[in-house]
Short mmCIF file of all heavy atoms in Angstrom, two decimals:
data_model
loop_
_atom_site.label_atom_id
_atom_site.label_comp_id
_atom_site.label_asym_id
_atom_site.label_seq_id
_atom_site.Cartn_x
_atom_site.Cartn_y
_atom_site.Cartn_z
N THR A 127 -43.17 -25.98 19.25
CA THR A 127 -42.25 -26.45 18.22
C THR A 127 -41.36 -27.53 18.81
O THR A 127 -40.61 -27.26 19.76
CB THR A 127 -41.39 -25.30 17.67
OG1 THR A 127 -42.24 -24.28 17.12
CG2 THR A 127 -40.46 -25.79 16.58
N VAL A 128 -41.44 -28.73 18.26
CA VAL A 128 -40.58 -29.84 18.71
C VAL A 128 -39.39 -29.90 17.75
O VAL A 128 -39.49 -30.42 16.63
CB VAL A 128 -41.36 -31.17 18.73
CG1 VAL A 128 -40.47 -32.28 19.30
CG2 VAL A 128 -42.63 -31.04 19.55
N ILE A 129 -38.26 -29.36 18.17
CA ILE A 129 -37.10 -29.21 17.30
C ILE A 129 -36.50 -30.56 16.92
O ILE A 129 -36.05 -30.77 15.79
CB ILE A 129 -36.05 -28.32 17.98
CG1 ILE A 129 -36.66 -26.94 18.30
CG2 ILE A 129 -34.80 -28.17 17.12
CD1 ILE A 129 -35.77 -26.07 19.15
N THR A 130 -36.50 -31.50 17.85
CA THR A 130 -35.85 -32.80 17.62
C THR A 130 -36.84 -33.88 17.19
O THR A 130 -36.56 -35.07 17.35
CB THR A 130 -35.12 -33.23 18.90
OG1 THR A 130 -36.05 -33.21 20.00
CG2 THR A 130 -33.97 -32.30 19.22
N ALA A 131 -37.98 -33.50 16.66
CA ALA A 131 -39.03 -34.48 16.36
C ALA A 131 -38.60 -35.46 15.27
O ALA A 131 -38.94 -36.65 15.33
CB ALA A 131 -40.31 -33.76 15.94
N TYR A 132 -37.85 -35.01 14.25
CA TYR A 132 -37.55 -35.85 13.10
C TYR A 132 -36.09 -36.28 13.01
O TYR A 132 -35.70 -36.96 12.06
CB TYR A 132 -37.94 -35.14 11.81
CG TYR A 132 -39.42 -34.82 11.77
CD1 TYR A 132 -39.86 -33.50 11.86
CD2 TYR A 132 -40.36 -35.83 11.65
CE1 TYR A 132 -41.21 -33.20 11.83
CE2 TYR A 132 -41.72 -35.54 11.61
CZ TYR A 132 -42.13 -34.23 11.71
OH TYR A 132 -43.48 -33.94 11.68
N GLY A 133 -35.27 -35.84 13.94
CA GLY A 133 -33.89 -36.30 13.94
C GLY A 133 -32.95 -35.52 13.04
O GLY A 133 -31.73 -35.73 13.08
N ILE A 134 -33.47 -34.63 12.19
CA ILE A 134 -32.63 -33.79 11.34
C ILE A 134 -33.22 -32.38 11.34
O ILE A 134 -34.41 -32.20 11.63
CB ILE A 134 -32.52 -34.31 9.90
CG1 ILE A 134 -33.90 -34.43 9.26
CG2 ILE A 134 -31.78 -35.64 9.86
CD1 ILE A 134 -33.85 -34.83 7.79
N LEU A 135 -32.38 -31.41 11.00
CA LEU A 135 -32.82 -30.01 10.99
C LEU A 135 -32.10 -29.27 9.88
O LEU A 135 -30.90 -29.47 9.67
CB LEU A 135 -32.51 -29.34 12.34
CG LEU A 135 -33.07 -27.93 12.56
CD1 LEU A 135 -34.58 -27.98 12.70
CD2 LEU A 135 -32.45 -27.31 13.80
N ARG A 136 -32.83 -28.41 9.15
CA ARG A 136 -32.21 -27.64 8.07
C ARG A 136 -31.83 -26.26 8.56
O ARG A 136 -32.61 -25.57 9.21
CB ARG A 136 -33.17 -27.52 6.88
CG ARG A 136 -32.48 -26.97 5.62
CD ARG A 136 -33.46 -26.76 4.50
NE ARG A 136 -34.32 -25.61 4.75
CZ ARG A 136 -35.32 -25.23 3.95
NH1 ARG A 136 -35.60 -25.95 2.89
NH2 ARG A 136 -36.04 -24.17 4.23
N GLU A 137 -30.61 -25.84 8.22
CA GLU A 137 -30.12 -24.49 8.50
C GLU A 137 -29.86 -23.80 7.17
O GLU A 137 -29.68 -24.45 6.12
CB GLU A 137 -28.83 -24.56 9.32
CG GLU A 137 -29.05 -24.86 10.79
CD GLU A 137 -29.59 -23.65 11.53
OE1 GLU A 137 -28.86 -22.66 11.68
OE2 GLU A 137 -30.75 -23.71 11.96
N GLN A 138 -29.80 -22.46 7.19
CA GLN A 138 -29.54 -21.70 5.97
C GLN A 138 -28.87 -20.38 6.30
O GLN A 138 -28.96 -19.87 7.42
CB GLN A 138 -30.85 -21.44 5.21
CG GLN A 138 -31.84 -20.58 5.97
CD GLN A 138 -33.16 -20.44 5.24
OE1 GLN A 138 -33.61 -21.36 4.56
NE2 GLN A 138 -33.80 -19.29 5.36
N TYR A 139 -28.19 -19.82 5.28
CA TYR A 139 -27.53 -18.52 5.46
C TYR A 139 -27.38 -17.88 4.09
O TYR A 139 -27.09 -18.56 3.09
CB TYR A 139 -26.16 -18.69 6.12
CG TYR A 139 -25.56 -17.39 6.58
CD1 TYR A 139 -25.92 -16.82 7.80
CD2 TYR A 139 -24.64 -16.70 5.79
CE1 TYR A 139 -25.39 -15.62 8.22
CE2 TYR A 139 -24.10 -15.51 6.20
CZ TYR A 139 -24.48 -14.97 7.42
OH TYR A 139 -23.95 -13.77 7.83
N ASP A 140 -27.58 -16.55 4.02
CA ASP A 140 -27.46 -15.81 2.77
C ASP A 140 -26.07 -15.19 2.67
O ASP A 140 -25.62 -14.49 3.59
CB ASP A 140 -28.52 -14.71 2.69
CG ASP A 140 -29.92 -15.27 2.53
OD1 ASP A 140 -30.04 -16.48 2.24
OD2 ASP A 140 -30.89 -14.52 2.69
N VAL A 141 -25.39 -15.45 1.55
CA VAL A 141 -24.06 -14.92 1.29
C VAL A 141 -24.14 -14.03 0.06
O VAL A 141 -24.60 -14.46 -1.00
CB VAL A 141 -23.03 -16.05 1.06
CG1 VAL A 141 -21.65 -15.46 0.77
CG2 VAL A 141 -22.98 -16.97 2.28
N GLY A 142 -23.68 -12.77 0.18
CA GLY A 142 -23.72 -11.83 -0.93
C GLY A 142 -22.40 -11.78 -1.68
O GLY A 142 -21.33 -11.70 -1.06
#
Side-chain angles (χ1 to χ4, degrees):
T127 301
V128 184
I129 301 172
T130 54
Y132 300 110
I134 58 175
L135 187 70
R136 192 184 73 184
E137 283 285 292
Q138 63 185 34
Y139 192 82
D140 291 347
V141 179

